[in-house]
Amino acid sequence: RRGDRGGGRRGRDRESPVPPIDPEEAKQQLLSKEQRTIFVEQLTQKTEERDIRRYFKRKAGRVLAINFIMDKRSGRHKGCAYIELEKLKDLPYALKCDGKIPDFQRFPIKVQASDSGATIVAMGIPKEEKSKSVGSGGFRVYVANVVCGINEHHMRNIFGLLGTVTAVQMQNLDWAKGAGFAFVQYKWANEAQLAVDGMDDTLIGSASIKTSWATLSQEMGETEAAKMGRPSSAAERLEKARSYAGQ
């Protein structure tokens, strides 16, 4: 009997080998994830994952993952998060929650497509415009607390001193509330890492910005940056960027 059981296990092992990973399939799965991800801000500090899951399940559909943007010093979230929906068809319903007051807080939340893939689905941007959107490649840095008067040109000039910036996207700039945020995309991971580590709390205009990895870029970005090491003349680059930002 022992021999039979052992033989049965070996037979099953031979019949079900681990299939190789298809690079194209993996790429499509990542694209699908990006298209199903929304960005939510103006969350109160008391907001927890269970609150978000329950609310969006009722309004749109099942939530697969929630990634809060965290403050490195306090360890608390910054009032915003990426939310991955289970199904792409639920995206339009989730976007309708923009400006609504959820049942877990007294203030309205802001909801929008988080990247080029979601924007294409939500807004019907033609396929030929995909390459112009942030998120089509490279490594993205999230920049919070961007004040009125700072535009894409300013952001390119400042962050471009750290490395090769391939795209800048200013988003959700509600000047009535004092500030907005942006995504800065770098060609190289170690330059993006330099921006994340070196530009946090830098004064631009009348406020100090907050920098962190955009969630969908973080895992790959940190891995690649560690392999590459710090960029050459990193200290000089940071000094020039901070100096320019303070002008």
Side-chain angles (χ1 to χ4, degrees):
R1 292 181 182 178
R2 292 177 183 173
D4 291 341
R5 288 197 296 268
R9 283 196 297 270
R10 287 193 295 271
R12 286 194 296 272
D13 289 342
R14 286 195 298 269
E15 293 171 2
S16 55
V18 177
I21 298 175
D22 183 349
E24 185 60 30
E25 182 179 350
K27 180 179 179 181
Q28 291 302 317
Q29 288 176 351
L30 178 59
L31 176 60
S32 173
K33 176 180 178 180
E34 292 177 347
Q35 291 173 339
R36 288 182 282 104
T37 299
I38 58 175
F39 186 74
V40 179
E41 61 173 335
Q42 295 187 180
L43 300 168
T44 64
Q45 282 295 321
K46 293 182 179 180
T47 301
E48 300 179 352
E49 281 196 19
R50 62 183 179 182
D51 299 322
I52 296 174
R53 287 183 184 277
R54 183 172 59 246
Y55 178 73
F56 279 98
K57 181 179 181 180
R58 188 171 67 253
K59 294 294 185 179
R62 183 167 174 251
V63 171
L64 292 183
I66 299 171
N67 290 295
F68 284 105
I69 301 296
M70 307 300 291
D71 184 275
K72 292 183 288 187
R73 290 191 175 87
S74 68
R76 303 172 70 184
H77 68 73
K78 297 181 179 181
C80 46
Y82 287 97
I83 301 174
E84 181 189 348
L85 303 171
E86 181 181 31
K87 299 178 181 179
L88 187 58
K89 68 180 181 65
D90 295 332
L91 179 63
Y93 300 102
L95 294 176
K96 288 182 180 180
C97 296
D98 182 47
K100 302 293 180 61
I101 300 177
D103 55 9
F104 54 82
Q105 65 180 49
R106 296 182 179 180
F107 306 98
I109 57 175
K110 289 185 175 294
V111 183
Q112 63 182 21
S114 66
D115 53 38
S116 61
T119 303
I120 291 166
V121 175
M123 301 179 66
I125 297 175
K127 293 182 178 179
E128 59 268 20
E129 294 294 318
K130 288 183 181 181
S131 61
K132 299 180 182 180
S133 302
V134 169
S136 58
F139 302 90
R140 297 199 303 162
V141 176
Y142 170 74
V143 184
N145 209 29
V146 180
V147 297
C148 180
I150 303 300
N151 56 33
E152 180 180 334
H153 177 72
H154 295 132
M155 298 294 282
R156 280 185 177 274
N157 285 345
I158 294 169
F159 284 89
L161 292 170
L162 301 177
T164 304
V165 172
T166 58
V168 173
Q169 188 175 25
M170 312 293 288
Q171 293 198 13
N172 218 28
L173 303 181
D174 188 350
W175 303 133
K177 297 184 181 298
F181 67 94
F183 289 105
V184 178
Q185 183 169 291
Y186 283 92
K187 181 178 181 180
W188 306 109
N190 59 346
E191 293 173 345
Q193 186 73 67
L194 183 62
V196 170
D197 295 337
M199 295 299 287
D200 193 48
D201 278 337
T202 296
L203 186 67
I204 299 182
S206 60
S208 297
I209 60 169
K210 295 293 183 181
T211 56
S212 60
W213 280 102
T215 301
L216 296 178
S217 291
Q218 183 168 4
E219 183 176 353
M220 181 180 294
E222 289 181 336
T223 300
E224 289 299 314
K227 292 178 182 178
M228 298 175 72
R230 282 173 67 84
S232 60
S233 306
E236 290 82 353
R237 296 189 195 191
L238 278 174
E239 183 179 355
K240 288 181 180 178
R242 290 169 180 163
S243 176
Y244 188 96
Q247 294 178 4

